[in-house]
Amino acid sequence: MYPERLKRAREAAGLSLRALAEQVGVSQTAIKKYEDGVNTPDSSQLLKLAKALAVRSEYFFRPFTVQLSADVEYRKRANTPVKLLKRIHADVEEQAERWQELTNIYPQFPIKPFTLPAGLPASVNTLDDVEQVAAFARESWKLGEDQITDLVDVLETQGVLVIFSAVEAQTKFDGLAVRIGSQPVVVVAQHWAGDRQRFTLAHELGHLLLQGRLTAGLDEEKACNRFAGAFLLPATAIQRQLGQHRRMIEWQELYLLKHEFGLSMMGCLYRLLDTAIIDAKTFDYLLKRYYFSGWRTQEPGNVYPAEHTILFKQLVYRALAESWIGESKAAELLGMPLARFHRERKLEGADAVTDQ
Ligand SMILES: [Zn+2]
């Protein structure tokens, strides 16, 4: 077995050495020795480890194909616990490995590599230039000026893969960007509300488009936030809906805008300022009211529906149909027990229509 696998699975499960040792009924030192490759567990212990960590025992023998590099951008908050980061990291690595494996199964991978839209300006000097880049990307990808209903689909069409991590991370992590081979990948938490997922996805897209173009003095994080807002809610669209200049805005207007464009009320508020529909004074007033109402933690009304992806599953089934893989490999790639996969394949039961 690969000792590192055990460590990864343990971190992914969020278990300490001691917690795992207790579950398996061996000493903490014994687990440590397995992880360091000093000792190897026998087959019955291996089964117990697999059970405790909710992986198949084959997992421990799978060679490594993906190593997340140190330049991974964690959009994390300063107080993100290290333990949580490790769990997210392990989960993403695991999913990235499945992507890598799937990529290798295809004689020719059916997703085009990510390329920058032709004619992107070589240098971006101001936040208004960033606004132009967002408009340019929309135009190049023929997205028009209306809302983007399925942002994940837009990214996947452009060769940016999206991984959803189910690791519990309500407020502690802001998404991250990695690469599988040359394919850029954006990771978002599955449990987030849709507007938060979309902002992160658009922000990371901003990094891909703006990297190496920003003049010194322009903060990349700020630029990517501006990009995200402009990409999700173009200036032309917000001006068309709310007018060119406004003295005051009703909260209901922001609420409706949020649910049309999938950008948080806070995001919409910033768009009003960025597009000069309201002045700084009105913005400050509204922002204060927003904070005062406690909406920073949770915005009022219905939650914007979450994004989802079907691409990975689609490609697994396609590979199965083409006989490039068998049923057990397909089940393994989808991370589900063979029996459940069998039912899903035959469209039996509710599993068949739900993704993830
Ligand atoms: Zn960023």
Side-chain angles (χ1 to χ4, degrees), residues 248-292:
M248 194 38 72
I249 297 286
E250 281 288 324
W251 291 116
Q252 188 62 236
E253 290 181 280
L254 287 184
Y255 180 76
L256 292 170
L257 210 54
K258 167 183 175 173
H259 284 276
E260 186 175 354
F261 285 89
L263 176 66
S264 67
M265 285 171 66
M266 168 80 108
C268 292
L269 191 54
Y270 272 95
R271 291 302 289 149
L272 286 170
L273 179 68
D274 292 341
T275 55
I277 293 175
I278 57 172
D279 60 21
K281 210 176 135 214
T282 311
F283 173 80
D284 288 342
Y285 170 79
L286 289 168
L287 194 64
K288 270 200 199 99
R289 301 300 311 164
Y290 179 94
Y291 276 102
F292 183 76

